[in-house]
Amino acid sequence: MEKKWWHDKVAYQIYPKSFLDTNGDGIGDLRGIISKLDYLKKLGIDIIWLSPIYKSPFVDQGYDIADYYAIAEEFGTMEEFDELLAEAKKRDMHIIMDLVINHCSDKHEWFQKALADPDGAFADYFYFRKGKNGNPPSNYRSYFGGNCWEPVPGSDKYYFHMFAKEQPDLNWENPKLREEIYRMINWWLDKGLAGFRIDAIINIKKDLAFPDMEPDGDDGLASCWRMVENVEGVDALLEDLKNHTFAKKDAFTVGEVFNIGVEDLPDFIGENGHFSTIFDFSAHMLSDGKHGWYDAPPISFDAWKKAITDSQMRVQNVGFEANIIENHDEPRGVSRFLPDYAQNADGAKMLGTVSVLLRGIPFIYQGQEIGMQNARWNSVDEFDDISTKDQYRMAREAGLSDAEALAVCSAMSRDNARTPMQWKDAPQAGFTSGTPWLKVNDNYPVINVEKEEGQPDSVLHYYRKLIALRKSGEYRELFTYGKFEPAYENADHVMAYYRILQGRRVLVAANFGTDTIELDWEVPAKKVLLSNKKRTNAENKLILEKCEVFVTECK
Ligand code: GLC
Ligand code: CA
């Protein structure tokens, strides 16, 4: 396998709006990010992914871009962005941005021009279609609720949107549109960006016949992603995109890709795949409910373990996936994947170890490194997220009480990941001197960076050691290229695996149960490399206390 510059890197996702506010307007900003580069460097981060910072009306928190060439005023200026790039470079860190090109904002000038002339050239940057017998062109339900087709005012046409109606989908069949997008991507790469995280990218290929589908809800609509799942031809578009942009610059790309079959993996992340890597969402998709996430089924430990193990086995002969516990679209992993008794510092370290040492590129989401958890939500009015409001509405319509609907939103809302970063035990967790745009989690006096800096056994110190181990001279190759092999497969409550390279073998073992576990070694241990319980010697048996994780080199 040809080695790539990004194979052995550790990435960190910043959600700029919630990271650090330096001017008191309650919104995180670029200055805040610049001021924390040393913090991230010390954590061991190489690549920083910024969720969208482009000019936007923020209907979907910046995933609705009004100008691809401008920084949102809320976050700062282009000069500050250039400064961020330069400061990152000084520290040998790489910046990647979110690339949202399946859709733009309805405030983008292309869409404004399309609305002004629904038969003109700009209308063909989007999907403008006539209705059918007084109805929309087809019966698709958008991700955020309601029909995917929105009437174009003053015309007999509709435009297509898979997300909010303020996020019209871009027509990738139009070569002019593609050219505009490629020019924009190259402009950012020329500035010195290392690459992109690419949003909802599978959705760019549509079935141009937009056929009606069998309804899957009482509203008579069918989930729009089924159209995307059924259509062929996305590969050609993705290759075109890559060849006109990323490939020329050796850029790092990570695709937001759900649900591709194992037979498609080589096309996506093989040696010459469409992307450098794609996220592994297999554990997260265990929460997919029948109708959305308001009816998410609970996740069992065994299902979680199987999802991760299967995915590692599937991918390792093909390429690299990007491993996450959480991101800005998911609740906090500590609250979601750990049983109640493990939702504490030991559990956060255990979950972090199991994830960061997997084969693939680790992506740490802001606050994960201090063990941030879901917030407590007292009323639906406290949420900001467009998807949460929609799921709450659906839950109520399906007959859940207000308390029940609030409970599912509390467990699953994307806003759990979006509450402000907890820097210290000070008003608003030190995130802002003003009023934060989204409430601060009330556990900030206990979980915050400053406090954890002062505690040698904190989650933060542990994450530093964990990443340092992964990147250490001695183990870097093994954790980057070593084979993944499941270990102690039949032991209940145990998640364990080996990483193996050229005759060297390291074991990662964790006990997610409540009872101490004692097992005969499959392969005897030689040296403990990391432990969340101060274990320093490998015993003559494998012993794991409740919530214990350790990493050992094997004989
Ligand atoms: C992706 C983003 C999500 C956004 C959606 C629409 O899934 O991660 O935050 O709402 O795309 O752009
Ligand atoms: Ca600010």
Side-chain angles (χ1 to χ4, degrees):
M1 176 190 299
E2 191 196 330
K3 293 198 172 169
K4 296 279 169 62
W5 67 266
W6 46 266
H7 278 163
D8 59 357
K9 299 291 181 273
V10 175
Y12 186 94
Q13 180 188 357
I14 290 184
Y15 194 70
K17 201 165 179 182
S18 302
F19 192 60
L20 179 61
D21 172 27
T22 58
N23 64 352
D25 65 355
I27 296 176
D29 41 51
L30 291 175
R31 278 265 149 256
I33 298 173
I34 294 170
S35 74
K36 292 297 178 186
L37 287 176
D38 287 330
Y39 167 79
L40 296 175
K41 182 73 191 175
K42 194 166 171 199
L43 182 59
I45 301 306
D46 309 293
I47 297 176
I48 299 172
W49 154 27
L50 302 175
S51 274
I53 54 170
Y54 313 86
K55 185 178 158 88
S56 165
F58 289 91
V59 169
D60 184 23
Q61 292 307 346
Y63 285 88
D64 45 326
I65 298 174
D67 184 348
Y68 288 98
Y69 292 92
I71 302 290
E73 283 175 11
E74 291 86 343
F75 295 146
T77 63
M78 192 60 82
E79 288 68 39
E80 284 169 324
F81 179 77
D82 291 338
E83 191 182 325
L84 171 63
L85 276 179
E87 290 297 321
K89 193 163 181 204
K90 264 191 215 162
R91 291 166 177 80
D92 201 19
M93 293 162 96
H94 309 268
I95 304 283
I96 68 172
M97 280 168 82
D98 227 297
L99 188 61
V100 190
I101 48 180
N102 171 68
H103 46 269
C104 61
S105 162
D106 61 340
K107 298 293 177 304
H108 194 287
E109 88 170 281
W110 298 334
F111 193 70
Q112 290 296 315
K113 287 180 176 164
L115 284 185
D117 182 3
D119 301 309
F122 282 96
D124 197 38
Y125 275 41
F126 301 90
Y127 298 101
F128 277 44
R129 293 284 189 283
K130 286 204 166 127
K132 271 193 319 215
N133 319 318
N135 292 317
S138 64
N139 66 339
Y140 304 161
R141 183 187 317 104
S142 75
Y143 288 97
F144 297 153
N147 201 297
C148 283
W149 295 99
E150 192 68 17
V152 174
S155 119
D156 58 354
K157 291 185 171 171
Y158 294 75
Y159 71 87
F160 186 71
H161 63 90
M162 295 191 77
F163 294 89
K165 67 180 187 326
E166 296 87 354
Q167 293 169 294
D169 279 50
L170 292 163
N171 175 12
W172 274 73
E173 311 295 332
N174 182 343
K176 270 216 189 96
L177 178 273
R178 292 205 302 271
E179 207 177 292
E180 294 262 22
I181 298 280
Y182 300 160
R183 187 165 64 86
M184 176 275 288
I185 293 172
N186 288 320
W187 185 83
W188 284 104
L189 289 175
D190 288 342
K191 254 183 178 299
L193 220 60
F196 293 96
R197 174 269 185 183
I198 311 179
D199 188 73
I201 190 63
I202 296 308
N203 297 31
I204 63 176
K205 183 71 192 180
K206 317 291 199 256
D207 183 337
L208 297 177
F210 294 106
D212 274 334
M213 293 186 299
E214 189 66 36
D216 55 19
D218 295 340
D219 52 7
L221 303 177
S223 305
C224 61
W225 59 86
R226 287 174 33 212
M227 177 263 282
V228 169
E229 265 172 22
N230 292 335
V231 68
E232 300 276 312
V234 75
D235 295 274
L237 289 179
L238 296 177
E239 277 304 285
D240 197 57
L241 164 63
K242 179 184 89 181
N243 292 330
H244 285 90
T245 55
F246 321 129
K248 296 192 283 189
K249 311 276 157 96
D250 198 19
F252 170 70
T253 55
V254 47
E256 187 197 26
V257 174
F258 289 91
N259 247 349
I260 55 164
V262 64
E263 65 289 352
D264 293 328
L265 272 176
D267 289 339
F268 279 75
I269 54 170
E271 198 89 24
N272 287 306
H274 308 317
F275 306 109
S276 309
T277 181
I278 58 176
F279 288 111
D280 180 12
F281 292 118
S282 47
H284 306 81
M285 282 163 44
L286 296 171
S287 307
D288 286 353
K290 255 194 138 140
H291 301 99
W293 54 250
Y294 79 82
D295 57 354
I299 300 180
S300 73
F301 171 75
D302 289 336
W304 172 80
K305 172 173 158 179
K306 183 174 185 325
I308 292 180
T309 305
D310 288 354
S311 160
Q312 288 278 301
M313 299 299 283
R314 219 172 24 235
V315 170
Q316 63 180 340
N317 297 322
V318 180
F320 288 80
E321 276 195 334
N323 299 310
I324 61 162
I325 291 176
E326 61 214 30
N327 68 20
H328 67 294
D329 291 331
E330 305 289 341
R332 292 285 179 177
V334 168
S335 307
R336 177 189 202 172
F337 297 120
L338 290 171
D340 291 348
Y341 55 81
Q343 296 187 9
N344 50 37
D346 281 340
K349 293 172 190 173
M350 182 169 73
L351 190 62
T353 310
V354 167
S355 171
V356 168
L357 298 181
L358 289 171
R359 190 178 174 286
I361 318 297
F363 270 71
I364 291 159
Y365 179 72
Q366 71 181 40
Q368 181 187 321
E369 77 278 19
I370 57 169
M372 278 180 69
Q373 305 181 350
N374 284 354
R376 199 166 327 160
W377 304 93
N378 305 307
S379 130
V380 66
D381 302 327
E382 287 183 340
F383 293 107
D384 168 275
D385 172 35
I386 184 170
S387 163
T388 305
K389 290 177 178 161
D390 176 53
Q391 295 287 319
Y392 175 85
R393 183 188 54 77
M394 281 172 68
R396 294 289 295 182
E397 279 173 18
L400 275 69
S401 70
D402 173 61
E404 289 164 340
L406 184 62
V408 284
C409 291
S410 299
M412 291 302 296
S413 172
R414 311 197 289 180
D415 279 342
N416 283 305
R418 300 175 181 187
T419 60
M421 177 73 182
Q422 294 162 208
W423 293 106
K424 49 179 140 175
D425 182 6
Q428 311 300 354
F431 162 72
T432 178
S433 60
T435 307
W437 73 277
L438 186 67
K439 75 169 192 174
V440 170
N441 189 321
D442 29 61
N443 66 15
Y444 75 87
V446 185
I447 298 179
N448 67 70
V449 173
E450 191 178 74
K451 183 158 186 192
E452 297 192 21
E453 284 285 4
Q455 299 169 329
D457 64 347
S458 65
V459 178
L460 177 60
H461 279 276
Y462 185 87
Y463 259 88
R464 285 182 185 144
K465 282 187 256 173
L466 171 63
I467 296 171
L469 170 65
R470 189 183 161 108
K471 293 171 62 175
S472 63
E474 213 180 331
Y475 295 100
R476 189 177 199 123
E477 287 283 306
L478 179 138
F479 284 122
T480 305
Y481 297 107
K483 175 175 161 219
F484 170 95
E485 192 180 285
Y488 302 92
E489 277 186 276
N490 297 321
D492 284 345
H493 310 296
V494 171
M495 170 65 171
Y497 58 83
Y498 299 108
R499 299 297 311 279
I500 304 164
L501 187 73
Q502 288 155 1
R504 291 182 74 188
R505 178 187 288 260
V506 165
L507 169 71
V508 178
N511 177 6
F512 284 68
T514 48
D515 298 332
T516 299
I517 283 167
E518 261 195 59
L519 296 165
D520 290 330
W521 290 111
E522 286 177 353
V523 185
K526 180 160 84 181
K527 182 164 108 190
V528 175
L529 307 177
L530 185 68
S531 155
N532 69 343
K533 298 271 191 189
K534 305 203 173 76
R535 196 177 287 280
T536 50
N537 291 311
E539 324 269 338
N540 50 11
K541 279 189 171 242
L542 179 143
I543 300 172
L544 285 166
E545 288 169 26
K546 166 182 168 185
C547 290
E548 173 164 9
V549 66
F550 62 68
V551 184
T552 64
E553 174 135 28
C554 302
K555 284 188 183 146

